[in-house]
Amino acid sequence: MTSTNFGQRFARAAAKIPSAFGKNSAPGTTVYGRITNIGEQPKLKFNGAPGEIDTDENGNPIMQLFITLETPNGLRNLNATSRMEQAIGQAMNAVGATSFDIGATLSITYSGPDPDYEKARIYTAVYTPAAANSGGR
């Protein structure tokens, strides 16, 4: 029998930034804060095993955008779906923003499930560019 040290696995899990929305988030839930990081990471497989990565037809990992927000409750990650990206794009258009920047403020509200596709969620967003947050400095 071999001994396995799970300490590193637990340490990685503890260091992971929590998701802003969970599967049990109620419609009307809003997460807001200052954007501290933007990047891509492998997308987890829907209904897959814990940590199972979703792949395309060629076996390559499907990448997903993540946005880290500094919220009143600490750092939270938004794992942006296509509908969330659409809401953010509409919010940026509403204020004439041409770039999505660290330091800007983002507010995302889970509006409810999509009536046409029950697994999808509908979001609304408000984007305030970083220059507007600095009080004109």
Side-chain angles (χ1 to χ4, degrees), residues 15-128:
K16 185 177 177 188
I17 297 172
S19 180
F21 295 101
K23 65 180 179 181
N24 296 320
S25 294
T29 301
T30 298
V31 176
Y32 66 92
R34 187 178 61 82
I35 300 166
T36 62
N37 194 14
I38 308 162
E40 283 189 320
Q41 63 190 6
K43 182 178 177 183
L44 296 178
K45 189 171 186 176
F46 185 76
N47 284 335
E52 185 177 358
I53 304 296
D54 201 4
T55 57
D56 63 17
E57 60 276 354
N58 297 321
N60 298 316
I62 296 173
M63 300 304 283
Q64 180 177 32
L65 176 72
F66 73 89
I67 303 161
T68 304
L69 298 179
E70 182 179 0
T71 75
N73 297 320
L75 295 177
R76 295 291 183 266
N77 268 345
L78 293 169
N79 297 305
T81 63
S82 61
R83 290 193 171 91
M84 189 181 291
E85 288 183 21
Q86 182 180 28
I88 293 168
Q90 290 169 346
M92 290 176 63
N93 288 342
V95 297
T98 57
S99 64
F100 189 77
D101 299 317
I102 290 177
T105 300
L106 182 64
S107 174
I108 298 281
T109 300
Y110 166 46
S111 302
D114 186 329
D116 297 326
Y117 185 61
E118 66 184 47
K119 292 181 181 178
R121 294 178 167 202
I122 297 175
Y123 296 92
T124 58
V126 176
Y127 179 79
T128 306

